[in-house]
Amino acid sequence: MSVQRATFTRPLIAVAMVAVSTYCAFAQRAPIPTRVRGTIESVNGDTMQVKSRSGEDVKLRIAADVNVSGITKISLADIKPGSFIGATTVPGPDGGQNAVEVHVFPENMRGTGEGSRPWDLKPNSSMTNATVAESVVGNDGHTLLVKYKDGEKKVFVADNTPVVTFVPGDKSELKPGAKVIAFMKQLPDGSFEASRVSVGRDGLTPPM
């Protein structure tokens, strides 16, 4: 009986090992990217080739209804109580949140993506879109108290932190040499389509 049981058990172990291997393969599969940061290398009809900041070549279809916005520099002093902002932050040595960049939304974009979530600009970075409740000016920057529907954060913005805002743009800005951040989705055929693209004006690299 013990020999028969051992013979019967081996196939079950083999099946289990295959199942575990398959599960691990799915678990380790790289997540589908949702944005690419880089420089447009070429545009051909409704397709553009982007060289990502990490050196990869990314081919993107341009959606027929693509939303294009320009990104321009503004001053830290332009961030005031009541401004609706997006801030990319990383944990500071004191446990606070230090801004890597801040973008001020125009009034017609108020509420965009409100909340706080992990972000992929830097390791351990977060993106918080919220309303500035308070701004305290210090010797080397501003400390902002920002509030969103699920909470609040204090964000330190140093004097040299990039601060930008969005301005209306159009499809003609998608041309070789433009520095962009393109938000994309994967289509059923495996290709990628850009539905929203932010373009740095005057050679600016979108900091977010």
Side-chain angles (χ1 to χ4, degrees), residues 67-74 103-109 164-171 173 197-202 204 208:
N67 182 309
V68 179
S69 58
I71 297 179
T72 62
K73 289 182 181 180
I74 58 173
H103 46 282
V104 179
F105 289 98
E107 194 58 32
N108 65 348
M109 295 178 70
V164 299
T165 192
F166 297 96
V167 295
D170 60 63
K171 198 173 178 180
E173 296 187 67
V197 185
S198 296
V199 184
R201 294 277 178 87
D202 302 319
L204 175 70
M208 68 286 291

Side-chain angles (χ1 to χ4, degrees), residues 133-155:
E134 182 181 296
S135 177
V136 177
V137 181
N139 293 330
D140 53 356
H142 291 194
T143 298
L144 308 177
L145 173 63
V146 299
K147 294 187 176 184
Y148 47 96
K149 57 188 175 182
D150 297 322
E152 62 182 42
K153 279 186 178 182
K154 279 190 175 180
V155 176

